[in-house]
Amino acid sequence: MERISRPALHMEIAEQVARRSTCFRANVGAIITLNHRTISYGYNGPPSGDEHCKGNKCELKEDGGCVRSVHAEINAIHFANTHLDDLHPDDHLDLYCTYSPCPYCAMEITDFSLKFSRYFFRHRYRDERGLIKVSEHMPCYRVTPSGYIIEEVTNRIVTEREIYET
């Protein structure tokens, strides 16, 4: 049996995390890894302590997003930010998300005080401006359900070895 790649493994974990979401429109999961180990995760939904979504009656913003939803990436980043104090310069922080980022999340990802080494996603978000912004700051990869890893800028299939040697 062939061994699953780290990006495929972490993306499958993000998919499972997405199952915790209570959103009726989209279930999104994110995980942050430090040197290939999961250190934080988040999923989209109302702020902690608020009522769960009650169906397909979301109050939407002009751009189509939910007014009260906290995005998966933001939940994962905020938790990680409070628990990471002493990172070594050789440490690698990677973010895996089931969807590419919206423009707001892209700003948070690129401005995060702890700099990410790489960004991985599975599905494209409806507004690609966020993915374009993130790809200007770090390598971005799409991980397909069958385990292919596609480098976003070149649209080339890459190997796990190629990713971690950069």
Side-chain angles (χ1 to χ4, degrees):
M1 178 165 69
E2 189 172 323
R3 188 175 190 193
I4 187 172
S5 71
R6 285 184 178 111
L9 169 70
H10 297 310
M11 192 55 65
E12 289 301 318
I13 294 169
E15 290 282 0
Q16 292 302 310
V17 168
R19 295 178 64 195
R20 292 278 307 153
S21 170
T22 61
C23 180
F24 276 70
R25 296 176 64 236
N27 302 124
V28 182
I31 69 164
I32 296 174
T33 63
L34 173 62
N35 301 327
H36 310 300
R37 301 274 186 185
T38 301
I39 60 162
S40 181
Y41 68 85
Y43 47 90
N44 65 315
S48 184
D50 280 10
E51 287 186 47
H52 294 303
C53 295
K54 294 207 184 304
N56 212 4
K57 297 177 179 147
C58 295
E59 184 182 346
L60 301 179
K61 298 182 275 190
E62 273 186 33
D63 67 1
C66 179
V67 169
R68 56 184 213 126
S69 180
V70 179
H71 288 196
E73 305 95 305
I74 303 307
N75 277 323
I77 287 170
H78 286 198
F79 181 81
N81 205 23
T82 62
H83 292 82
L84 291 174
D85 293 326
D86 300 317
L87 282 180
H88 188 273
D90 293 334
D91 286 338
H92 290 282
L93 221 51
D94 293 333
L95 178 57
Y96 293 80
C97 193
T98 56
Y99 278 85
S100 60
C102 72
Y104 173 76
C105 289
M107 187 173 50
E108 289 290 314
I109 291 165
T110 57
D111 292 342
F112 185 46
S113 60
L114 304 167
K115 297 298 179 200
F116 290 109
S117 301
R118 293 166 284 261
Y119 182 84
F120 298 85
F121 69 98
R122 173 147 296 156
H123 308 287
R124 290 186 184 281
Y125 185 66
R126 67 181 177 271
D127 182 344
E128 293 200 9
R129 291 177 299 164
L131 183 57
I132 291 167
K133 179 174 178 56
V134 171
S135 66
E136 292 170 353
H137 292 267
M138 69 193 75
C140 294
Y141 303 94
R142 184 168 59 87
V143 182
T144 69
S146 58
Y148 289 107
I149 306 164
I150 302 166
E151 200 275 326
E152 179 60 25
V153 172
T154 64
N155 204 33
R156 183 175 68 86
I157 295 174
V158 296
T159 66
E160 182 177 7
R161 178 172 285 175
E162 289 175 277
I163 292 169
Y164 298 125
E165 287 179 352
T166 58

